[in-house]
Amino acid sequence: MFKTLTTAFIALHVVSSAAHSTDRQITLEELYEAFGTGNLETVMAFKAKDLGTDFVFYGPRGATLLHSAAQSDQPEIATALIADGLPVDIRTKSKAATPLMIAASHCGTRTGIALLDAGAEVNAIHKSTGGTALIFAAWDNCPEMVSLLLDAGADPMIAARGRKVPNDERGLMAVDFARKHNPALLETRAGKRLVARTEAGEGCDGARVEAGDTTLEILAERVLGEAKRWRNIAKLNGLGPGKGYRLGDCLKLPV
């Protein structure tokens, strides 16, 4: 799924950087190669020279350097970028994908481990597809990533309901995408775990309220990447002066 959306992320970083600065000591070719070879020094030198708010670089498709590290499955680079200030759950410029989603769609298990160890939100929702990292891992046939995400608490009951999901796939869960696109995945140990968890009805088709979700703004930022969408969540769930929410509640999410 995401492979078609992210294959050009690294190259787009390269093209965009030429437009922003003409005096870089690091050539565009060197930066491109650095992600492929895991050249941490080159990537960090590029980041140090980069322009933009708090040194966050967005390519034309909105990818950050951390998304590119996730796509290339470079955990050392990802860890260094996070340590240097990039938020682990930073979204693309359109507030769509997190780095963990990109890692999941490219079977980047090593970087997935690094991102989760750094506190990545395992059940974050993609803005335009409504999918989660688990859905992308199942869609793109990544059994090791499916297993990793389930171990980290990924919710198999969340369904993709976003506007960019084809009508005949809207409302499908991770196991449904696996059945449709990669049935062989369901014969693996990870796939069987996914089936069992789904059949047991373990999870929430929406967002589970966690201890830190003291306001709907915080919850909306955590799962949707946009705090301002809290009003949509409140309306969907009938929340207001006469009805609040409690820890552990399953709240519906807007498309």
Side-chain angles (χ1 to χ4, degrees):
M1 179 185 185
F2 258 135
K3 289 177 181 175
T4 57
L5 298 176
T6 61
T7 298
F9 269 7
I10 295 175
L12 287 170
H13 277 306
V14 171
V15 172
S16 179
S17 63
H20 285 288
S21 177
T22 58
D23 60 354
R24 297 188 187 280
Q25 296 178 359
I26 299 169
T27 68
L28 304 183
E29 184 178 0
E30 287 171 339
L31 178 64
Y32 180 85
E33 291 177 352
F35 282 106
T37 62
N39 188 327
L40 174 63
E41 182 178 357
T42 296
V43 174
M44 296 309 293
F46 178 89
K47 181 178 183 295
K49 290 175 176 293
D50 216 342
L51 304 177
T53 304
D54 296 328
F55 299 102
V56 174
F57 175 83
Y58 291 104
R61 292 288 293 273
T64 70
L65 295 175
L66 189 54
H67 289 87
S68 293
Q71 179 187 337
S72 300
D73 196 19
Q74 296 292 351
E76 184 180 9
I77 293 177
T79 299
L81 289 168
I82 293 168
D84 201 45
L86 281 182
V88 65
D89 286 321
I90 190 169
R91 301 266 180 160
T92 51
K93 196 170 185 179
S94 62
K95 303 294 184 183
T98 66
L100 184 61
M101 294 174 191
I102 301 300
S105 67
H106 287 81
C107 304
T109 306
R110 296 184 306 148
T111 302
I113 292 172
L115 293 169
L116 289 167
D117 285 346
E121 170 55 53
V122 70
N123 290 315
I125 306 295
H126 187 276
K127 179 180 177 181
S128 58
T129 67
T132 62
L134 182 62
I135 286 176
F136 301 132
W139 193 328
D140 289 308
N141 196 21
C142 302
E144 290 186 5
M145 182 60 79
V146 168
S147 183
L148 172 67
L149 293 169
L150 288 174
D151 287 342
D155 192 333
M157 301 301 292
I158 297 175
R161 304 183 188 280
R163 63 184 182 278
K164 288 192 176 181
V165 176
N167 290 335
D168 63 337
E169 295 185 342
R170 192 164 296 156
L172 298 188
M173 297 178 288
V175 71
D176 301 316
F177 283 109
R179 287 195 180 105
K180 181 173 182 178
H181 298 284
N182 303 295
L185 182 145
L186 299 180
E187 299 303 317
T188 67
R189 179 177 297 182
K192 291 176 181 178
R193 287 183 63 200
L194 178 61
V195 171
R197 289 278 303 276
T198 306
E199 290 180 347
E202 299 178 7
C204 161
D205 183 7
R208 189 77 67 182
V209 177
E210 298 182 355
D213 297 328
T214 54
T215 67
L216 283 181
E217 290 97 328
I218 293 174
L219 185 145
E221 178 65 32
R222 176 173 66 82
V223 298
L224 298 176
E226 288 186 291
K228 65 182 181 182
R229 300 184 72 188
W230 72 269
R231 290 184 176 84
N232 302 107
I233 296 175
K235 184 177 180 180
L236 271 177
N237 293 276
L239 301 177
K243 181 184 177 183
Y245 62 91
R246 297 178 297 179
L247 180 67
D249 282 353
C250 177
L251 300 183
K252 299 176 184 178
L253 294 177
V255 172

